[in-house]
Amino acid sequence: MKGILLAGGSGSRLYPVTRCTSKQMLPVYDKPLIYYPLSVLMLAGVRDILVICAPDSLVPAQRLLEDGAHLGLNISYAEQPEPRGIADAYLIGADHVEDEDSALILGDNIFHGSGFQELLRSAAERQPGCTLFGYPVSDPERFAIGETDDRGNLVSIEEKPLGPRSNNAVTGLYLYDRDVVEIARQTRPSARGELEITDVNRAYLAQGQARIEHLGRGYMWIDAGTPSSLLQAGQYVEFLASLQGVRVACVEEVAARMGLISAQDCWELGARMTNSDYGAYVMSIADDLAEAGRT
């Protein structure tokens, strides 16, 4: 399975701070925002990832993530010259995806929950078609909403409905089969001039090939694209770190625990950041894995 991390856009909801830096480089407690969606792709078993950035965000992303080899990944980059919609990621990334299944995640989406990795892996194995991930929200009129029947089957998708028939928001994580590139190519721009991912999802739904996984109690999803949601995300991550010692989306830890890098590699990555609490945490994870015989 190939991966696309869409980190384009201007971050205008976060102005003025994003006038001088990329939204995905903003800190969420102890790490850049982009680490969070990257860790989701890693947990889903994706190793070959295309990061799509706005032109002025490309160099910072490359400086931070490099080619991904230090995490056992293969990371490449592409530009999205201007915001043209989420589905545009599949026009830009057509050669990257080729004829394989793929996972697309938005660069400002944060997920966390017990058993999330197992849920991702199970969903990825249920292709063909597309799999969406729903999360209950209190303001469904702000999101694409997935309506389900009594058996949990997806029956409709509405974009920012005035009278929502459900509170189940479609999050910014999508799993697709190899047909998605052609479906995206056939999608026409909406009234706001963008290629809407909802139209892609509706095409799958019309074929009877769309399903939705419900992220209920025990899961957390934040679209960290506004000042308040970015603050809430940082507070959530800090709370877990201080209360349980858990660092959400520590990509070095994810890579080491999944066997993508060795405990020694992990320790060396932490040593490069030895003056920070984050670096010390990475080194402690490496020490724990080494003690457990995971060299």
Side-chain angles (χ1 to χ4, degrees), residues 5-213:
L5 199 167
L6 182 56
S10 62
S12 58
R13 292 184 296 170
L14 287 161
Y15 278 176
V17 67
T18 47
R19 294 290 297 272
C20 60
T21 189
S22 164
K23 172 173 63 175
Q24 284 76 28
M25 296 299 116
L26 294 176
V28 176
Y29 183 50
D30 59 351
K31 65 188 73 69
L33 174 55
I34 199 170
Y35 274 29
Y36 293 84
L38 177 62
S39 70
V40 171
L41 293 179
M42 294 171 69
L43 290 171
V46 178
R47 304 289 172 263
D48 197 349
I49 299 169
L50 176 67
V51 177
I52 300 177
C53 302
D56 59 355
S57 304
L58 188 61
V59 171
Q62 290 174 320
R63 185 180 300 126
L64 177 67
L65 302 176
E66 301 176 339
D67 64 1
H70 61 292
L71 298 173
L73 306 174
N74 176 31
I75 298 178
S76 55
Y77 299 87
E79 288 188 6
Q80 186 181 45
E82 58 185 3
R84 293 190 299 244
I86 297 172
D88 186 46
Y90 278 105
L91 304 188
I92 296 171
D95 290 340
H96 169 72
V97 172
E98 295 180 319
D99 291 325
E100 296 189 36
D101 295 343
S102 61
L104 168 65
I105 190 167
L106 305 188
D108 56 5
N109 271 224
I110 299 174
F111 295 84
H112 183 250
S114 177
F116 188 49
Q117 181 178 0
E118 291 74 16
L119 178 67
L120 288 173
R121 293 295 186 90
S122 176
E125 292 172 358
R126 284 205 299 273
Q127 307 295 69
C130 85
T131 299
L132 311 176
F133 295 83
Y135 190 82
V137 295
S138 59
D139 48 355
E141 64 280 354
R142 292 183 52 238
F143 302 93
I145 296 299
E147 180 189 8
T148 57
D149 61 20
D150 293 340
R151 293 176 294 177
N153 297 317
L154 187 64
V155 295
S156 74
I157 306 171
E158 294 183 281
E159 184 68 35
K160 299 180 176 63
L162 294 178
R165 295 193 291 265
S166 166
N167 71 336
N168 202 33
V170 177
T171 68
L173 172 62
Y174 318 87
L175 304 183
Y176 295 110
D177 65 13
R178 64 188 63 187
D179 294 333
V180 65
V181 172
E182 186 57 33
I183 291 174
R185 284 175 175 153
Q186 295 174 9
T187 300
R188 302 275 71 85
S190 65
R192 60 177 184 167
E194 296 191 358
L195 299 178
E196 307 289 353
I197 200 68
T198 294
D199 290 336
V200 172
N201 297 334
R202 283 174 176 157
Y204 275 103
L205 183 60
Q207 299 170 7
Q209 292 289 312
R211 64 193 68 85
I212 191 165
E213 291 282 353

Side-chain angles (χ1 to χ4, degrees), residues 246-263:
V246 173
R247 302 266 177 162
V248 178
C250 174
V251 292
E252 296 85 358
E253 178 181 6
V254 173
R257 292 195 183 279
M258 295 185 70
L260 304 181
I261 61 175
S262 69

